[in-house]
Amino acid sequence: MSAVEPSLIQRIIRDDVRAMGAYHVADSHGMVKLDAMENPYRLPPALRRELADLLAEVALNRYPVPSSEALRGELKRVMQVPAGMDVLLGNGSDEIISMLTMAVARAGAKVLAPVPGFVMYAMSAQFAGVGFVGVPLRADFTLDRAAMLAAMAEHQPSIIYLAYPNNPTGTLFDAADMEAIIHAAQGEVCHSLVVVDEAYQPFAQQSWMPRLPEFGNLLVMRTVSKLGLAGIRLGYVAGDPAWLAEIDKVRPPYNVNVLTEATALFALRHVSVLDEQAAQLREQRSRVASALAAHAGVTVFPSAANFLLLRVPDAAAIFERLLARKVLIKNVSKMHPLLANCLRVTVSTPEENAQFLEAFAASLQD
């Protein structure tokens, strides 16, 4: 039993924070883990041994170099960041979203994004005391251009997030719709910073990165998590140095640790291995989607990510039946009305995909 008086907590902790639940991560022990969009492949043994030797020499007794100049330079080279643009690093994309929100958090500020979408856009806004405006997608999870433009004109957001592809739907929004929104945010209907979130770019193989120099209000945000390095927590945002210099002012001084930096530099120098893994997952995505769509009553939505969204007759029941068979996926059916009876499953190795498909087929028959 806690010795802390509830009244003391009520006096000190914000009402909205007390009403929230903590970010939940499901226990995956003993499960086929297909709930978090992770790359299931590890580095080859020879590279793991080489990395271990490298990490053994890292100076753990010293603070990181705050600028992370070497890593930023390698990211710009490997990820083909356009000349004249720069990158800013974060402890995953989550921290970058927090920094962006903090930098614009003046009285009355708002951020805007299509919904359903990545939950951290809204959560970071709430944490910073910034308003969040969610604009519903169409029923097929495509972008509603007219609704977005109307919401932009009404709410005058400081930041607009466009996930490309979107999570949890896997949708790759129409480029013409996105371009219209970016142009409109340059002063046609509002003055907003547009952040294109390309967390799943290795699987979409389309990007707004080359177009950064065209738009003075555009940033492209990515992570190395989906590339196969989720455990090191590294995200980055690319764009005009003038924007990044302002956002850098709210960045914690040593937010990228020395082990993360060393591991990321090593992985980027062997990025062909990670690219091959992404290619295997793209192939498996097609196979799993076809197998799921063959079941009566199951709808599989198009995906440009490393996961699939599917609608089933009873999402809660199927989710629990899969759990009983030691397969963990994500029940997203309560995240938004558009996601009614929807489940999200990560695409994995052929072996784990086969286990999932077998368990899924059996769960439909229970």
PDB file of all heavy atoms in Angstrom, residues 5-41:
ATOM      1  N   GLU A   5      -0.393  10.195   0.086  1.00  0.00           N
ATOM      2  CA  GLU A   5      -1.794  10.578   0.183  1.00  0.00           C
ATOM      3  C   GLU A   5      -2.352  10.909  -1.202  1.00  0.00           C
ATOM      4  O   GLU A   5      -1.770  11.720  -1.930  1.00  0.00           O
ATOM      5  CB  GLU A   5      -1.951  11.798   1.092  1.00  0.00           C
ATOM      6  CG  GLU A   5      -1.731  11.515   2.570  1.00  0.00           C
ATOM      7  CD  GLU A   5      -2.866  10.693   3.164  1.00  0.00           C
ATOM      8  OE1 GLU A   5      -3.986  10.705   2.592  1.00  0.00           O
ATOM      9  OE2 GLU A   5      -2.626  10.018   4.183  1.00  0.00           O
ATOM     10  N   PRO A   6      -3.482  10.313  -1.596  1.00  0.00           N
ATOM     11  CA  PRO A   6      -4.070  10.631  -2.907  1.00  0.00           C
ATOM     12  C   PRO A   6      -4.330  12.117  -3.106  1.00  0.00           C
ATOM     13  O   PRO A   6      -4.198  12.636  -4.210  1.00  0.00           O
ATOM     14  CB  PRO A   6      -5.380   9.829  -2.891  1.00  0.00           C
ATOM     15  CG  PRO A   6      -5.117   8.697  -1.949  1.00  0.00           C
ATOM     16  CD  PRO A   6      -4.229   9.263  -0.886  1.00  0.00           C
ATOM     17  N   SER A   7      -4.678  12.807  -2.040  1.00  0.00           N
ATOM     18  CA  SER A   7      -4.958  14.238  -2.162  1.00  0.00           C
ATOM     19  C   SER A   7      -3.717  15.022  -2.568  1.00  0.00           C
ATOM     20  O   SER A   7      -3.818  16.032  -3.270  1.00  0.00           O
ATOM     21  CB  SER A   7      -5.517  14.782  -0.851  1.00  0.00           C
ATOM     22  OG  SER A   7      -4.581  14.600   0.211  1.00  0.00           O
ATOM     23  N   LEU A   8      -2.552  14.548  -2.118  1.00  0.00           N
ATOM     24  CA  LEU A   8      -1.309  15.222  -2.488  1.00  0.00           C
ATOM     25  C   LEU A   8      -1.029  15.065  -3.977  1.00  0.00           C
ATOM     26  O   LEU A   8      -0.621  16.010  -4.651  1.00  0.00           O
ATOM     27  CB  LEU A   8      -0.149  14.669  -1.655  1.00  0.00           C
ATOM     28  CG  LEU A   8       1.227  15.308  -1.897  1.00  0.00           C
ATOM     29  CD1 LEU A   8       1.175  16.797  -1.570  1.00  0.00           C
ATOM     30  CD2 LEU A   8       2.289  14.604  -1.070  1.00  0.00           C
ATOM     31  N   ILE A   9      -1.256  13.850  -4.476  1.00  0.00           N
ATOM     32  CA  ILE A   9      -1.101  13.609  -5.912  1.00  0.00           C
ATOM     33  C   ILE A   9      -2.059  14.493  -6.702  1.00  0.00           C
ATOM     34  O   ILE A   9      -1.692  15.103  -7.706  1.00  0.00           O
ATOM     35  CB  ILE A   9      -1.323  12.123  -6.238  1.00  0.00           C
ATOM     36  CG1 ILE A   9      -0.190  11.275  -5.627  1.00  0.00           C
ATOM     37  CG2 ILE A   9      -1.416  11.889  -7.743  1.00  0.00           C
ATOM     38  CD1 ILE A   9      -0.371   9.792  -5.809  1.00  0.00           C
ATOM     39  N   GLN A  10      -3.293  14.590  -6.231  1.00  0.00           N
ATOM     40  CA  GLN A  10      -4.291  15.396  -6.930  1.00  0.00           C
ATOM     41  C   GLN A  10      -3.904  16.872  -6.965  1.00  0.00           C
ATOM     42  O   GLN A  10      -4.187  17.583  -7.940  1.00  0.00           O
ATOM     43  CB  GLN A  10      -5.654  15.231  -6.259  1.00  0.00           C
ATOM     44  CG  GLN A  10      -6.243  13.843  -6.421  1.00  0.00           C
ATOM     45  CD  GLN A  10      -7.478  13.622  -5.562  1.00  0.00           C
ATOM     46  OE1 GLN A  10      -8.003  14.565  -4.955  1.00  0.00           O
ATOM     47  NE2 GLN A  10      -7.944  12.391  -5.502  1.00  0.00           N
ATOM     48  N   ARG A  11      -3.255  17.338  -5.911  1.00  0.00           N
ATOM     49  CA  ARG A  11      -2.856  18.752  -5.860  1.00  0.00           C
ATOM     50  C   ARG A  11      -1.678  19.037  -6.785  1.00  0.00           C
ATOM     51  O   ARG A  11      -1.534  20.164  -7.271  1.00  0.00           O
ATOM     52  CB  ARG A  11      -2.480  19.130  -4.420  1.00  0.00           C
ATOM     53  CG  ARG A  11      -3.660  19.249  -3.477  1.00  0.00           C
ATOM     54  CD  ARG A  11      -3.178  19.480  -2.054  1.00  0.00           C
ATOM     55  NE  ARG A  11      -2.350  20.688  -1.946  1.00  0.00           N
ATOM     56  CZ  ARG A  11      -1.683  21.022  -0.842  1.00  0.00           C
ATOM     57  NH1 ARG A  11      -1.726  20.222   0.219  1.00  0.00           N
ATOM     58  NH2 ARG A  11      -0.966  22.130  -0.817  1.00  0.00           N
ATOM     59  N   ILE A  12      -0.822  18.055  -7.027  1.00  0.00           N
ATOM     60  CA  ILE A  12       0.429  18.298  -7.736  1.00  0.00           C
ATOM     61  C   ILE A  12       0.397  17.861  -9.195  1.00  0.00           C
ATOM     62  O   ILE A  12       0.909  18.557 -10.073  1.00  0.00           O
ATOM     63  CB  ILE A  12       1.598  17.613  -6.988  1.00  0.00           C
ATOM     64  CG1 ILE A  12       1.784  18.291  -5.616  1.00  0.00           C
ATOM     65  CG2 ILE A  12       2.889  17.659  -7.804  1.00  0.00           C
ATOM     66  CD1 ILE A  12       2.812  17.623  -4.735  1.00  0.00           C
ATOM     67  N   ILE A  13      -0.191  16.698  -9.471  1.00  0.00           N
ATOM     68  CA  ILE A  13      -0.204  16.153 -10.833  1.00  0.00           C
ATOM     69  C   ILE A  13      -1.395  16.709 -11.609  1.00  0.00           C
ATOM     70  O   ILE A  13      -2.515  16.782 -11.091  1.00  0.00           O
ATOM     71  CB  ILE A  13      -0.265  14.612 -10.814  1.00  0.00           C
ATOM     72  CG1 ILE A  13       0.895  14.032  -9.998  1.00  0.00           C
ATOM     73  CG2 ILE A  13      -0.244  14.056 -12.234  1.00  0.00           C
ATOM     74  CD1 ILE A  13       2.273  14.376 -10.524  1.00  0.00           C
ATOM     75  N   ARG A  14      -1.167  17.096 -12.861  1.00  0.00           N
ATOM     76  CA  ARG A  14      -2.222  17.637 -13.709  1.00  0.00           C
ATOM     77  C   ARG A  14      -3.404  16.690 -13.810  1.00  0.00           C
ATOM     78  O   ARG A  14      -3.236  15.470 -13.884  1.00  0.00           O
ATOM     79  CB  ARG A  14      -1.679  17.901 -15.126  1.00  0.00           C
ATOM     80  CG  ARG A  14      -0.855  19.149 -15.240  1.00  0.00           C
ATOM     81  CD  ARG A  14      -0.065  19.219 -16.549  1.00  0.00           C
ATOM     82  NE  ARG A  14      -0.663  18.562 -17.702  1.00  0.00           N
ATOM     83  CZ  ARG A  14      -0.002  18.346 -18.840  1.00  0.00           C
ATOM     84  NH1 ARG A  14       1.265  18.717 -18.956  1.00  0.00           N
ATOM     85  NH2 ARG A  14      -0.599  17.759 -19.848  1.00  0.00           N
ATOM     86  N   ASP A  15      -4.610  17.265 -13.866  1.00  0.00           N
ATOM     87  CA  ASP A  15      -5.820  16.451 -13.954  1.00  0.00           C
ATOM     88  C   ASP A  15      -5.804  15.558 -15.187  1.00  0.00           C
ATOM     89  O   ASP A  15      -6.181  14.381 -15.131  1.00  0.00           O
ATOM     90  CB  ASP A  15      -7.058  17.349 -13.987  1.00  0.00           C
ATOM     91  CG  ASP A  15      -7.296  18.083 -12.674  1.00  0.00           C
ATOM     92  OD1 ASP A  15      -6.670  17.700 -11.665  1.00  0.00           O
ATOM     93  OD2 ASP A  15      -8.101  19.032 -12.665  1.00  0.00           O
ATOM     94  N   ASP A  16      -5.397  16.115 -16.341  1.00  0.00           N
ATOM     95  CA  ASP A  16      -5.442  15.334 -17.573  1.00  0.00           C
ATOM     96  C   ASP A  16      -4.417  14.191 -17.546  1.00  0.00           C
ATOM     97  O   ASP A  16      -4.646  13.127 -18.127  1.00  0.00           O
ATOM     98  CB  ASP A  16      -5.244  16.219 -18.799  1.00  0.00           C
ATOM     99  CG  ASP A  16      -3.888  16.898 -18.838  1.00  0.00           C
ATOM    100  OD1 ASP A  16      -3.394  17.280 -17.769  1.00  0.00           O
ATOM    101  OD2 ASP A  16      -3.316  17.039 -19.936  1.00  0.00           O
ATOM    102  N   VAL A  17      -3.289  14.399 -16.864  1.00  0.00           N
ATOM    103  CA  VAL A  17      -2.295  13.331 -16.752  1.00  0.00           C
ATOM    104  C   VAL A  17      -2.824  12.220 -15.855  1.00  0.00           C
ATOM    105  O   VAL A  17      -2.674  11.030 -16.159  1.00  0.00           O
ATOM    106  CB  VAL A  17      -0.963  13.888 -16.209  1.00  0.00           C
ATOM    107  CG1 VAL A  17       0.016  12.750 -15.901  1.00  0.00           C
ATOM    108  CG2 VAL A  17      -0.343  14.847 -17.226  1.00  0.00           C
ATOM    109  N   ARG A  18      -3.471  12.584 -14.750  1.00  0.00           N
ATOM    110  CA  ARG A  18      -4.024  11.557 -13.860  1.00  0.00           C
ATOM    111  C   ARG A  18      -5.110  10.744 -14.553  1.00  0.00           C
ATOM    112  O   ARG A  18      -5.306   9.570 -14.248  1.00  0.00           O
ATOM    113  CB  ARG A  18      -4.580  12.204 -12.589  1.00  0.00           C
ATOM    114  CG  ARG A  18      -3.496  12.695 -11.640  1.00  0.00           C
ATOM    115  CD  ARG A  18      -4.045  13.122 -10.283  1.00  0.00           C
ATOM    116  NE  ARG A  18      -4.810  14.350 -10.372  1.00  0.00           N
ATOM    117  CZ  ARG A  18      -6.131  14.432 -10.269  1.00  0.00           C
ATOM    118  NH1 ARG A  18      -6.854  13.332 -10.095  1.00  0.00           N
ATOM    119  NH2 ARG A  18      -6.748  15.601 -10.362  1.00  0.00           N
ATOM    120  N   ALA A  19      -5.787  11.351 -15.495  1.00  0.00           N
ATOM    121  CA  ALA A  19      -6.863  10.646 -16.203  1.00  0.00           C
ATOM    122  C   ALA A  19      -6.343   9.725 -17.302  1.00  0.00           C
ATOM    123  O   ALA A  19      -7.085   8.880 -17.814  1.00  0.00           O
ATOM    124  CB  ALA A  19      -7.829  11.662 -16.811  1.00  0.00           C
ATOM    125  N   MET A  20      -5.071   9.872 -17.642  1.00  0.00           N
ATOM    126  CA  MET A  20      -4.497   9.076 -18.725  1.00  0.00           C
ATOM    127  C   MET A  20      -4.045   7.706 -18.237  1.00  0.00           C
ATOM    128  O   MET A  20      -3.849   7.484 -17.038  1.00  0.00           O
ATOM    129  CB  MET A  20      -3.279   9.793 -19.333  1.00  0.00           C
ATOM    130  CG  MET A  20      -3.569  11.074 -20.044  1.00  0.00           C
ATOM    131  SD  MET A  20      -2.041  11.902 -20.545  1.00  0.00           S
ATOM    132  CE  MET A  20      -1.398  10.710 -21.742  1.00  0.00           C
ATOM    133  N   GLY A  21      -3.853   6.809 -19.190  1.00  0.00           N
ATOM    134  CA  GLY A  21      -3.164   5.558 -18.921  1.00  0.00           C
ATOM    135  C   GLY A  21      -1.755   5.634 -19.483  1.00  0.00           C
ATOM    136  O   GLY A  21      -1.513   6.351 -20.454  1.00  0.00           O
ATOM    137  N   ALA A  22      -0.823   4.938 -18.866  1.00  0.00           N
ATOM    138  CA  ALA A  22       0.538   4.899 -19.392  1.00  0.00           C
ATOM    139  C   ALA A  22       0.556   4.133 -20.706  1.00  0.00           C
ATOM    140  O   ALA A  22      -0.310   3.284 -20.967  1.00  0.00           O
ATOM    141  CB  ALA A  22       1.478   4.247 -18.383  1.00  0.00           C
ATOM    142  N   TYR A  23       1.542   4.453 -21.554  1.00  0.00           N
ATOM    143  CA  TYR A  23       1.692   3.743 -22.834  1.00  0.00           C
ATOM    144  C   TYR A  23       1.895   2.258 -22.542  1.00  0.00           C
ATOM    145  O   TYR A  23       2.816   1.870 -21.824  1.00  0.00           O
ATOM    146  CB  TYR A  23       2.883   4.308 -23.609  1.00  0.00           C
ATOM    147  CG  TYR A  23       2.967   3.820 -25.042  1.00  0.00           C
ATOM    148  CD1 TYR A  23       2.382   4.531 -26.067  1.00  0.00           C
ATOM    149  CD2 TYR A  23       3.633   2.639 -25.352  1.00  0.00           C
ATOM    150  CE1 TYR A  23       2.455   4.086 -27.384  1.00  0.00           C
ATOM    151  CE2 TYR A  23       3.704   2.186 -26.657  1.00  0.00           C
ATOM    152  CZ  TYR A  23       3.117   2.916 -27.666  1.00  0.00           C
ATOM    153  OH  TYR A  23       3.192   2.457 -28.961  1.00  0.00           O
ATOM    154  N   HIS A  24       1.024   1.432 -23.089  1.00  0.00           N
ATOM    155  CA  HIS A  24       1.022   0.004 -22.747  1.00  0.00           C
ATOM    156  C   HIS A  24       1.833  -0.799 -23.758  1.00  0.00           C
ATOM    157  O   HIS A  24       1.637  -0.666 -24.964  1.00  0.00           O
ATOM    158  CB  HIS A  24      -0.411  -0.529 -22.710  1.00  0.00           C
ATOM    159  CG  HIS A  24      -0.500  -2.003 -22.444  1.00  0.00           C
ATOM    160  ND1 HIS A  24      -0.128  -2.574 -21.240  1.00  0.00           N
ATOM    161  CD2 HIS A  24      -0.902  -3.030 -23.235  1.00  0.00           C
ATOM    162  CE1 HIS A  24      -0.299  -3.882 -21.292  1.00  0.00           C
ATOM    163  NE2 HIS A  24      -0.766  -4.190 -22.496  1.00  0.00           N
ATOM    164  N   VAL A  25       2.742  -1.593 -23.250  1.00  0.00           N
ATOM    165  CA  VAL A  25       3.496  -2.541 -24.071  1.00  0.00           C
ATOM    166  C   VAL A  25       3.143  -3.949 -23.589  1.00  0.00           C
ATOM    167  O   VAL A  25       3.379  -4.287 -22.423  1.00  0.00           O
ATOM    168  CB  VAL A  25       5.015  -2.309 -23.970  1.00  0.00           C
ATOM    169  CG1 VAL A  25       5.767  -3.340 -24.800  1.00  0.00           C
ATOM    170  CG2 VAL A  25       5.362  -0.893 -24.437  1.00  0.00           C
ATOM    171  N   ALA A  26       2.558  -4.733 -24.477  1.00  0.00           N
ATOM    172  CA  ALA A  26       2.081  -6.064 -24.094  1.00  0.00           C
ATOM    173  C   ALA A  26       3.234  -7.000 -23.773  1.00  0.00           C
ATOM    174  O   ALA A  26       4.315  -6.908 -24.365  1.00  0.00           O
ATOM    175  CB  ALA A  26       1.220  -6.649 -25.216  1.00  0.00           C
ATOM    176  N   ASP A  27       3.009  -7.908 -22.833  1.00  0.00           N
ATOM    177  CA  ASP A  27       3.998  -8.926 -22.491  1.00  0.00           C
ATOM    178  C   ASP A  27       4.064  -9.936 -23.634  1.00  0.00           C
ATOM    179  O   ASP A  27       3.075 -10.587 -23.960  1.00  0.00           O
ATOM    180  CB  ASP A  27       3.585  -9.623 -21.188  1.00  0.00           C
ATOM    181  CG  ASP A  27       4.588 -10.680 -20.746  1.00  0.00           C
ATOM    182  OD1 ASP A  27       5.679 -10.772 -21.352  1.00  0.00           O
ATOM    183  OD2 ASP A  27       4.279 -11.444 -19.803  1.00  0.00           O
ATOM    184  N   SER A  28       5.230 -10.052 -24.241  1.00  0.00           N
ATOM    185  CA  SER A  28       5.380 -10.941 -25.410  1.00  0.00           C
ATOM    186  C   SER A  28       6.170 -12.199 -25.089  1.00  0.00           C
ATOM    187  O   SER A  28       6.538 -12.945 -26.004  1.00  0.00           O
ATOM    188  CB  SER A  28       6.073 -10.181 -26.548  1.00  0.00           C
ATOM    189  OG  SER A  28       7.368  -9.742 -26.138  1.00  0.00           O
ATOM    190  N   HIS A  29       6.433 -12.458 -23.805  1.00  0.00           N
ATOM    191  CA  HIS A  29       7.238 -13.627 -23.434  1.00  0.00           C
ATOM    192  C   HIS A  29       6.567 -14.911 -23.923  1.00  0.00           C
ATOM    193  O   HIS A  29       5.391 -15.164 -23.657  1.00  0.00           O
ATOM    194  CB  HIS A  29       7.411 -13.686 -21.917  1.00  0.00           C
ATOM    195  CG  HIS A  29       8.242 -14.833 -21.453  1.00  0.00           C
ATOM    196  ND1 HIS A  29       9.606 -14.882 -21.619  1.00  0.00           N
ATOM    197  CD2 HIS A  29       7.894 -16.002 -20.848  1.00  0.00           C
ATOM    198  CE1 HIS A  29      10.074 -16.014 -21.133  1.00  0.00           C
ATOM    199  NE2 HIS A  29       9.054 -16.716 -20.648  1.00  0.00           N
ATOM    200  N   GLY A  30       7.331 -15.701 -24.667  1.00  0.00           N
ATOM    201  CA  GLY A  30       6.835 -16.980 -25.161  1.00  0.00           C
ATOM    202  C   GLY A  30       5.906 -16.871 -26.353  1.00  0.00           C
ATOM    203  O   GLY A  30       5.316 -17.879 -26.774  1.00  0.00           O
ATOM    204  N   MET A  31       5.779 -15.674 -26.914  1.00  0.00           N
ATOM    205  CA  MET A  31       4.847 -15.459 -28.018  1.00  0.00           C
ATOM    206  C   MET A  31       5.578 -15.341 -29.357  1.00  0.00           C
ATOM    207  O   MET A  31       6.761 -14.993 -29.407  1.00  0.00           O
ATOM    208  CB  MET A  31       4.067 -14.150 -27.799  1.00  0.00           C
ATOM    209  CG  MET A  31       3.185 -14.138 -26.564  1.00  0.00           C
ATOM    210  SD  MET A  31       1.635 -14.999 -26.899  1.00  0.00           S
ATOM    211  CE  MET A  31       0.772 -14.714 -25.353  1.00  0.00           C
ATOM    212  N   VAL A  32       4.852 -15.596 -30.428  1.00  0.00           N
ATOM    213  CA  VAL A  32       5.270 -15.146 -31.744  1.00  0.00           C
ATOM    214  C   VAL A  32       4.892 -13.671 -31.789  1.00  0.00           C
ATOM    215  O   VAL A  32       3.712 -13.315 -31.817  1.00  0.00           O
ATOM    216  CB  VAL A  32       4.557 -15.929 -32.865  1.00  0.00           C
ATOM    217  CG1 VAL A  32       4.966 -15.399 -34.228  1.00  0.00           C
ATOM    218  CG2 VAL A  32       4.878 -17.418 -32.761  1.00  0.00           C
ATOM    219  N   LYS A  33       5.875 -12.796 -31.745  1.00  0.00           N
ATOM    220  CA  LYS A  33       5.649 -11.371 -31.495  1.00  0.00           C
ATOM    221  C   LYS A  33       5.450 -10.615 -32.812  1.00  0.00           C
ATOM    222  O   LYS A  33       6.409 -10.335 -33.533  1.00  0.00           O
ATOM    223  CB  LYS A  33       6.818 -10.783 -30.721  1.00  0.00           C
ATOM    224  CG  LYS A  33       6.590  -9.371 -30.199  1.00  0.00           C
ATOM    225  CD  LYS A  33       7.774  -8.902 -29.367  1.00  0.00           C
ATOM    226  CE  LYS A  33       7.506  -7.575 -28.680  1.00  0.00           C
ATOM    227  NZ  LYS A  33       7.109  -6.517 -29.598  1.00  0.00           N
ATOM    228  N   LEU A  34       4.203 -10.271 -33.091  1.00  0.00           N
ATOM    229  CA  LEU A  34       3.856  -9.614 -34.351  1.00  0.00           C
ATOM    230  C   LEU A  34       2.999  -8.380 -34.087  1.00  0.00           C
ATOM    231  O   LEU A  34       2.086  -8.065 -34.846  1.00  0.00           O
ATOM    232  CB  LEU A  34       3.090 -10.590 -35.262  1.00  0.00           C
ATOM    233  CG  LEU A  34       3.779 -11.931 -35.569  1.00  0.00           C
ATOM    234  CD1 LEU A  34       2.861 -12.821 -36.389  1.00  0.00           C
ATOM    235  CD2 LEU A  34       5.097 -11.699 -36.307  1.00  0.00           C
ATOM    236  N   ASP A  35       3.315  -7.649 -33.006  1.00  0.00           N
ATOM    237  CA  ASP A  35       2.470  -6.537 -32.600  1.00  0.00           C
ATOM    238  C   ASP A  35       3.125  -5.163 -32.719  1.00  0.00           C
ATOM    239  O   ASP A  35       2.449  -4.157 -32.544  1.00  0.00           O
ATOM    240  CB  ASP A  35       2.014  -6.731 -31.149  1.00  0.00           C
ATOM    241  CG  ASP A  35       3.176  -6.623 -30.163  1.00  0.00           C
ATOM    242  OD1 ASP A  35       4.290  -7.088 -30.506  1.00  0.00           O
ATOM    243  OD2 ASP A  35       2.977  -6.089 -29.057  1.00  0.00           O
ATOM    244  N   ALA A  36       4.431  -5.107 -33.003  1.00  0.00           N
ATOM    245  CA  ALA A  36       5.139  -3.828 -32.857  1.00  0.00           C
ATOM    246  C   ALA A  36       5.912  -3.390 -34.094  1.00  0.00           C
ATOM    247  O   ALA A  36       6.779  -2.523 -33.998  1.00  0.00           O
ATOM    248  CB  ALA A  36       6.076  -3.887 -31.648  1.00  0.00           C
ATOM    249  N   MET A  37       5.639  -3.977 -35.242  1.00  0.00           N
ATOM    250  CA  MET A  37       6.268  -3.576 -36.506  1.00  0.00           C
ATOM    251  C   MET A  37       7.788  -3.601 -36.462  1.00  0.00           C
ATOM    252  O   MET A  37       8.469  -2.739 -37.015  1.00  0.00           O
ATOM    253  CB  MET A  37       5.789  -2.184 -36.950  1.00  0.00           C
ATOM    254  CG  MET A  37       4.332  -2.120 -37.294  1.00  0.00           C
ATOM    255  SD  MET A  37       3.305  -1.790 -35.857  1.00  0.00           S
ATOM    256  CE  MET A  37       3.635  -0.063 -35.601  1.00  0.00           C
ATOM    257  N   GLU A  38       8.332  -4.580 -35.779  1.00  0.00           N
ATOM    258  CA  GLU A  38       9.784  -4.728 -35.709  1.00  0.00           C
ATOM    259  C   GLU A  38      10.290  -5.568 -36.881  1.00  0.00           C
ATOM    260  O   GLU A  38       9.574  -6.430 -37.404  1.00  0.00           O
ATOM    261  CB  GLU A  38      10.174  -5.416 -34.393  1.00  0.00           C
ATOM    262  CG  GLU A  38       9.831  -4.607 -33.161  1.00  0.00           C
ATOM    263  CD  GLU A  38       9.533  -5.471 -31.949  1.00  0.00           C
ATOM    264  OE1 GLU A  38       8.883  -6.524 -32.135  1.00  0.00           O
ATOM    265  OE2 GLU A  38       9.928  -5.095 -30.839  1.00  0.00           O
ATOM    266  N   ASN A  39      11.529  -5.310 -37.279  1.00  0.00           N
ATOM    267  CA  ASN A  39      12.211  -6.179 -38.231  1.00  0.00           C
ATOM    268  C   ASN A  39      12.610  -7.449 -37.472  1.00  0.00           C
ATOM    269  O   ASN A  39      13.313  -7.365 -36.460  1.00  0.00           O
ATOM    270  CB  ASN A  39      13.444  -5.456 -38.780  1.00  0.00           C
ATOM    271  CG  ASN A  39      14.237  -6.285 -39.778  1.00  0.00           C
ATOM    272  OD1 ASN A  39      14.131  -7.508 -39.832  1.00  0.00           O
ATOM    273  ND2 ASN A  39      15.063  -5.631 -40.562  1.00  0.00           N
ATOM    274  N   PRO A  40      12.190  -8.636 -37.915  1.00  0.00           N
ATOM    275  CA  PRO A  40      12.484  -9.853 -37.153  1.00  0.00           C
ATOM    276  C   PRO A  40      13.909 -10.352 -37.316  1.00  0.00           C
ATOM    277  O   PRO A  40      14.333 -11.261 -36.591  1.00  0.00           O
ATOM    278  CB  PRO A  40      11.500 -10.869 -37.745  1.00  0.00           C
ATOM    279  CG  PRO A  40      11.359 -10.425 -39.178  1.00  0.00           C
ATOM    280  CD  PRO A  40      11.395  -8.920 -39.119  1.00  0.00           C
ATOM    281  N   TYR A  41      14.645  -9.781 -38.267  1.00  0.00           N
ATOM    282  CA  TYR A  41      15.982 -10.296 -38.578  1.00  0.00           C
ATOM    283  C   TYR A  41      17.059  -9.579 -37.773  1.00  0.00           C
ATOM    284  O   TYR A  41      17.026  -8.361 -37.607  1.00  0.00           O
ATOM    285  CB  TYR A  41      16.285 -10.126 -40.072  1.00  0.00           C
ATOM    286  CG  TYR A  41      15.365 -10.913 -40.964  1.00  0.00           C
ATOM    287  CD1 TYR A  41      14.388 -10.257 -41.719  1.00  0.00           C
ATOM    288  CD2 TYR A  41      15.454 -12.297 -41.058  1.00  0.00           C
ATOM    289  CE1 TYR A  41      13.537 -10.972 -42.555  1.00  0.00           C
ATOM    290  CE2 TYR A  41      14.604 -13.015 -41.884  1.00  0.00           C
ATOM    291  CZ  TYR A  41      13.649 -12.346 -42.626  1.00  0.00           C
ATOM    292  OH  TYR A  41      12.801 -13.041 -43.441  1.00  0.00           O
TER     293      TYR A  41
END
